[in-house]
Amino acid sequence: MAADLGELLVPYMPTIRVPRTGDRVFKSECAFSFDSPESEGGLYVCMNTFLGFGREHVERHYRKTGQSVYMHLKRHVKEVRLPPALCSLSELNRDFNGEDYEYEDEAKLVIFPDHFEIPLPNIEELPALVSESVTIACDAVLNAPSAYKKQEPESWEEEIQVSRHARSLRQLDNGVRIPPSGWKCQKCEMRENLWLNLTDGAVLCGKWFFDGSGGNGHALEHYRETNYPLAVKLDTITPDGADVYSFEEEEAVLDPHVSEHLSHFGIDMLQMQKRRFMTTENGHHTDNKPRPRVSEWEVIQESGMKLKEVYGSGYTGIKNLGNSCYLSTVMQVLFNLIEQHQQKGISARMLKALVSRGHPEFSSNRQQDAHEFLLHMINLVERNSAGSENPSDVFRFLVEERVQCCQTRRVRYTQRVDYCIQLPAPFEAASNREELLAYEVKRKEAEENMRPSPEPVRARIPFTACLQAFTEPENVPDFWSSALQAKSAGVKTSRFASFPEYLVVQIKKFTFGVDWVPKKLDVAIDVPDFLDLNRLRATGLQAGEEELPDLMPPIVLPEDTRAPEIDEAAVMQLAEMGFPLEACRKAVYYTGNMGPEMAFNWIIAHMEEPDFAEPLTLPSMIDPGPSAGDSPTGAALLGNSPPEESIAILTSMGFPRTHSIHALKATNNNLERALDWIFTHPEEEESDALSDMADTEPNDNAFSNANSHSDSTLSPDGDASGPRVKDGPGRYELFAFISHMGASTMSGHYVCHIKKEGRWVIYNDHKVCLSERPPKDLGYIYFYHRLSSS
């Protein structure tokens, strides 16, 4: 029989390969499903490509490629019977990687399409010509590390070198102190992608990149002016370090003295407690220090209760890959919306590799923020759903922002797209405020007398107080009143211009202390099972209200000169190419002196405009009298168009000018959102190329009709081709929530509870059980589905 099988194998010998250095052997998970060697059908590894396939997909691979020889891997799991005294302890902590299970592995070669099987221990019985080469190939596959284990270190171990400026960095004694929050670029008011220069403490924005990080390049511009070489990204500072970039070396670098350099500007990392981690029986990392609230871990995981395990479609756990619970909880909620059939205890390695590819944080093995990952998933789906049905439509809604000038009482209404409502947790509204004050007194006394701290008291905050804090008017920093054409006091209120099919609510539990120590607010919120938000529906411009003029703030010129700062060397470089001098000056100015290449892209995008070669004219150099603001000419000059710098950045990426303007208008001039808008409106590009019309303002009040409460699918710009908004009644029912345990989103553990078939179910990594006491008051992210209007 062995000889017969050997003869069958001979024709396929050229297709059997030995894995070489660099080959990845996918022997842990199917490329199309979550099947593994532990699955009922096992896993088939192609002996040519080394891809893994479950039983349902291996046939398709054979038919498509003609590859006939696969290694079939099967793991039989045997439960170890524990003594009765230990059974109760094991029930909740049972893990296929634990000591209460044993394995029996089986491997054999399978020849398709007839499924001839050759057990690997018997392979030496094959003819010598076949046996030697096949044995080498099989041993190499069996001994090769899993593709996922092989790539895990590569996802976070980067070849970053110490900067040559780190040791001798000069820092100015200029008295600059950086606060723990509220940062903005010193040149353009941008509040994202901010970099702190480690020489003079300047906070400036980075460049705009295709991956979604954004800025106007002012940090690089500052380096060119000063030659101060090192900068640190503000939102990456942790007790363990920070992201440092060297402008002179043009790469990310290490700064062994970063704590001292940050301390120079009031950011004291030396006093911040290092996170120490230990691995729990579930495979995730937790703080190796006394937990601030041990009961939080017990309550959220429902420890100590005999929870009944459940199985089947919709009740499938996800194994922890090491700090992957943030991903598991988010995906469990998203899977719940589509009810996919899954096997028991799936391993999401390939899913994680796919959705985190190219992302510096989610591709690492570190714990991450579940809320940020949810938005990343939505953004990923958005970018890959162009021209087809977009699953993210169910989360998308419009927020109407009303800004009022306190001096003139005139108003402006704008709309923006959002996917999550973030609610503050106002401590001052706590129902147990007296108890909190008493605890604080006792805590200070214990600290002064060096006694143990009293048992912490958790603040109990009504959900209505969180909602009220969200809807209350807030001051607008640096508000520029177009009615006064000057800075003034302004207030902003937000309302729902549409209600999504699924409403995501995040409780803002995480913040920074004045000493830069990240902390988590210990709060309990009485989140309701049912929500009625109809009273928060936007109403649009009301009778008697007068709108603010649609004018852009003037460009402020340096006090010591009346002319704009322009890189004349870049101007002359462009002029030598044959372009009009004034056009070159405008190109360099409107691209922020970011170099001739960026200015050249601006020229290409604007050279067909009638005023292309006319002299540069700035709004601040025009008479601010009635003729400029009220006449059609003045309105055309100062009116509807977004900032030219933003338009230039988008057009330099190859997008049509009118399309870029539409995107910026639809997203309130937010570059990152504008890029996403463009990706979700590919059909707009064709119409932009055919017509130079459509520079008109979107109808900002398209969804402000308070009487329009029936289900509808619309777009914020009033165009059926725009981002879809599934508007409807504002009544919701809670169906899921994600909870976090630990002091920081970068550590601790996540679990989720989902309401299925009228009962709550807890998903704690691979364990899925019926919930006895769902801790709804300790959740971090809540998910509601809209109730029908009937």
Side-chain angles (χ1 to χ4, degrees):
M1 181 61 181
D4 293 340
L5 290 175
E7 292 177 1
L8 288 173
L9 202 56
V10 168
Y12 305 110
M13 293 299 295
T15 68
I16 298 177
R17 292 200 304 116
V18 177
R20 297 187 296 266
T21 301
D23 281 339
R24 298 165 64 187
V25 180
F26 293 83
K27 61 181 186 180
S28 299
E29 188 175 292
C30 172
F32 297 100
S33 68
F34 295 108
D35 286 329
S36 71
E38 295 173 6
S39 304
E40 183 178 354
L43 189 73
Y44 293 80
V45 179
C46 173
M47 291 301 291
N48 184 268
T49 63
F50 311 116
L51 293 174
F53 303 96
R55 184 65 186 87
E56 297 180 3
H57 299 281
V58 65
E59 294 276 3
R60 182 172 67 174
H61 185 258
Y62 158 71
R63 290 193 300 269
K64 186 173 183 179
T65 66
Q67 173 63 24
S68 298
V69 183
Y70 297 82
M71 179 181 291
H72 184 218
L73 301 176
K74 186 74 175 75
R75 166 166 285 187
H76 303 279
V77 182
K78 297 181 179 180
E79 185 173 359
V80 176
R81 291 298 176 185
L82 299 177
L86 299 179
C87 286
S88 60
L89 292 176
S90 174
E91 184 175 355
L92 287 179
N93 298 322
R94 189 166 54 182
D95 190 339
F96 282 171
N97 296 322
E99 297 178 355
D100 47 345
Y101 283 86
E102 289 182 351
Y103 310 105
E104 180 180 320
D105 292 330
E106 177 186 0
K108 53 192 174 186
L109 287 182
V110 179
I111 304 175
F112 281 73
D114 297 318
H115 291 266
F116 291 117
E117 297 181 353
I118 306 175
L120 291 189
N122 303 330
I123 206 165
E124 63 274 6
E125 300 178 8
L126 297 175
L129 179 64
V130 176
S131 175
E132 183 177 356
S133 58
V134 173
T135 298
I136 294 173
C138 292
D139 287 345
V141 170
L142 290 172
N143 295 324
S146 169
Y148 306 104
K149 290 183 179 179
K150 187 175 181 179
Q151 75 183 78
E152 280 171 2
E154 298 172 358
S155 65
W156 57 274
E157 291 181 1
E158 303 178 19
E159 294 291 334
I160 300 180
Q161 304 297 322
V162 174
S163 171
R164 58 173 169 265
H165 301 287
R167 183 183 298 274
S168 58
L169 184 70
R170 181 170 68 95
Q171 293 189 282
L172 304 182
D173 292 325
N174 52 10
V176 173
R177 291 294 180 268
I178 305 300
S181 60
W183 320 300
K184 61 181 178 181
C185 177
Q186 296 174 3
K187 291 191 176 182
C188 68
E189 308 291 313
M190 194 158 191
R191 297 177 182 270
E192 301 172 351
N193 190 24
L194 298 178
W195 293 79
L196 169 68
N197 190 288
L198 291 177
T199 296
D200 62 355
V203 176
L204 299 160
C205 63
K207 291 183 65 176
W208 170 262
F209 293 108
F210 189 76
D211 65 358
S213 59
N216 296 315
H218 289 133
L220 177 60
E221 179 183 310
H222 184 67
Y223 160 71
R224 290 171 176 166
E225 295 171 354
T226 63
N227 287 325
Y228 298 156
L230 298 184
V232 61
K233 193 172 183 182
L234 280 174
D235 59 1
T236 67
I237 300 174
T238 70
D240 302 311
D243 291 350
V244 182
Y245 185 82
S246 172
F247 295 107
E248 194 270 337
E249 296 161 280
E250 296 186 340
E251 63 180 353
V253 296
L254 294 177
D255 179 5
H257 310 288
V258 66
S259 61
E260 300 172 23
H261 293 153
L262 290 173
S263 178
H264 182 82
F265 300 110
I267 306 173
D268 195 347
M269 294 177 64
L270 296 179
Q271 295 183 3
M272 299 173 73
Q273 294 181 346
K274 294 286 185 180
R275 297 191 190 99
R276 303 179 184 273
F277 299 108
M278 63 181 181
T279 302
T280 69
E281 68 275 6
N282 293 327
H284 39 73
H285 293 165
T286 61
D287 300 332
N288 191 17
K289 60 182 180 181
R291 295 174 183 161
R293 290 284 295 185
V294 177
S295 61
E296 178 184 58
W297 291 72
E298 296 175 347
V299 172
I300 289 178
Q301 295 187 98
E302 303 187 58
S303 301
M305 299 181 184
K306 294 184 178 180
L307 302 181
K308 179 182 178 181
E309 293 189 3
V310 288
Y311 307 93
S313 179
Y315 299 97
T316 301
I318 300 178
K319 294 180 181 178
N320 197 303
L321 307 177
N323 288 319
S324 65
C325 51
Y326 70 92
L327 178 147
S328 301
T329 52
V330 170
M331 297 311 299
Q332 287 287 11
V333 175
L334 296 181
F335 284 155
N336 182 71
L337 304 184
I338 56 179
E339 284 298 315
Q340 280 190 343
H341 176 74
Q342 301 155 355
Q343 68 173 62
K344 179 180 178 182
I346 62 175
S347 176
R349 290 186 180 91
M350 189 163 287
L351 172 66
K352 183 177 187 296
L354 173 65
V355 301
S356 64
R357 182 174 54 191
H359 194 285
E361 294 300 329
F362 300 134
S363 61
S364 74
N365 284 346
R366 298 185 293 268
Q367 183 68 280
Q368 303 296 337
D369 186 351
H371 175 250
E372 291 183 3
F373 179 73
L374 171 63
L375 296 182
H376 170 72
M377 282 295 302
I378 291 175
N379 187 46
L380 197 64
V381 172
E382 290 274 3
R383 292 187 177 188
N384 287 276
S385 298
S388 61
E389 184 178 354
N390 189 342
S392 295
D393 289 350
V394 297
F395 297 111
R396 192 186 300 108
F397 61 95
L398 294 173
V399 176
E400 178 187 87
E401 293 184 343
R402 175 186 183 273
V403 179
Q404 183 173 39
C405 172
C406 295
Q407 189 168 343
T408 65
R409 313 303 295 175
R410 299 175 77 173
V411 299
R412 175 180 294 117
Y413 286 87
T414 58
Q415 291 185 349
R416 60 177 172 83
V417 174
D418 216 331
Y419 299 88
C420 173
I421 175 175
Q422 295 179 295
L423 297 185
F427 263 78
E428 64 276 8
S431 58
N432 59 339
R433 187 173 181 180
E434 294 183 0
E435 188 180 3
L436 290 169
L437 293 174
Y439 159 74
E440 188 61 24
V441 171
K442 293 179 181 178
R443 187 193 63 79
K444 289 183 178 180
E445 290 178 351
E447 185 177 307
E448 293 172 357
N449 299 319
M450 302 184 68
R451 296 197 305 265
S453 297
E455 178 69 18
V457 176
R458 177 173 291 128
R460 299 199 166 276
I461 302 176
F463 181 81
T464 52
C466 301
L467 204 56
Q468 182 177 351
F470 169 77
T471 58
E472 283 184 345
E474 58 178 302
N475 294 326
V476 180
D478 301 320
F479 174 69
W480 185 83
S481 171
S482 59
L484 300 173
Q485 303 221 4
K487 286 192 174 182
S488 174
V491 293
K492 180 179 71 175
T493 55
S494 300
R495 293 293 186 270
F496 288 91
S498 70
F499 289 114
E501 187 172 344
Y502 291 94
L503 178 68
V504 182
V505 178
Q506 179 206 23
I507 302 297
K508 298 169 69 173
K509 287 189 171 185
F510 298 95
T511 183
F512 283 93
V514 294
D515 53 359
W516 276 84
V517 177
K519 65 178 183 179
K520 177 181 176 182
L521 303 179
D522 191 11
V523 296
I525 313 291
D526 62 339
V527 176
D529 287 322
F530 295 92
L531 271 181
D532 189 342
L533 301 178
N534 281 310
R535 63 184 179 85
L536 300 182
R537 182 177 283 273
T539 56
L541 187 68
Q542 297 295 292
E545 289 184 332
E546 186 177 358
E547 289 188 281
L548 286 163
D550 192 8
L551 306 177
M552 297 297 293
I555 299 175
V556 179
L557 300 178
E559 294 181 0
D560 59 346
T561 177
R562 298 187 59 183
E565 291 184 350
I566 296 178
D567 184 352
E568 295 295 342
V571 172
M572 296 310 299
Q573 189 172 343
L574 293 169
E576 290 173 359
M577 299 180 186
F579 298 115
L581 180 63
E582 289 300 330
C584 298
R585 288 175 57 81
K586 288 198 291 187
V588 172
Y589 175 78
Y590 283 124
T591 55
N593 291 316
M594 296 176 68
E597 182 178 354
M598 184 70 78
F600 176 80
N601 292 333
W602 187 95
I603 287 177
I604 297 301
H606 294 74
M607 61 191 308
E608 300 297 329
E609 296 178 1
D611 61 346
F612 174 67
E614 294 181 5
L616 171 66
T617 305
L618 301 178
S620 59
M621 300 170 66
I622 298 176
D623 179 13
S627 61
D630 298 338
S631 69
T633 304
L637 181 63
L638 300 177
N640 296 333
S641 183
E644 281 295 334
E645 296 89 338
S646 300
I647 299 174
I649 289 173
L650 293 178
T651 55
S652 68
M653 296 179 181
F655 301 116
R657 174 176 171 80
T658 51
H659 197 196
S660 301
I661 292 175
H662 288 166
L664 290 165
K665 287 181 177 181
T667 57
N668 200 20
N669 295 332
N670 183 296
L671 272 173
E672 181 176 355
R673 286 177 174 164
L675 185 60
D676 289 336
W677 191 93
I678 288 175
F679 282 122
T680 57
H681 293 67
E683 61 276 9
E684 292 283 335
E685 294 186 18
E686 183 178 355
S687 61
D688 287 337
L690 296 175
S691 173
D692 288 330
M693 300 168 56
D695 232 9
T696 56
E697 189 74 23
N699 181 5
D700 282 347
N701 295 323
F703 301 99
S704 298
N705 187 348
N707 297 322
S708 179
H709 292 181
S710 60
D711 289 353
S712 58
T713 303
L714 302 165
S715 61
D717 58 1
D719 188 344
S721 63
R724 314 305 292 171
V725 177
K726 296 181 178 294
D727 195 13
R731 296 176 61 249
Y732 293 92
E733 180 180 6
L734 181 69
F735 74 92
F737 61 94
I738 294 174
S739 306
H740 174 270
M741 295 152 282
S744 166
T745 56
M746 300 296 104
S747 62
H749 183 49
Y750 289 97
V751 303
C752 71
H753 287 72
I754 303 177
K755 194 173 186 180
K756 304 174 73 70
E757 300 176 339
R759 57 188 182 180
W760 284 98
V761 180
I762 178 174
Y763 293 78
N764 188 355
D765 288 340
H766 69 275
K767 295 189 291 290
V768 182
C769 303
L770 295 179
S771 173
E772 294 287 339
R773 194 178 300 162
K776 289 182 287 187
D777 58 336
L778 298 181
Y780 173 44
I781 309 173
Y782 296 87
F783 298 82
Y784 286 84
H785 68 82
R786 188 166 61 210
L787 296 173
S788 61
S789 56
S790 57

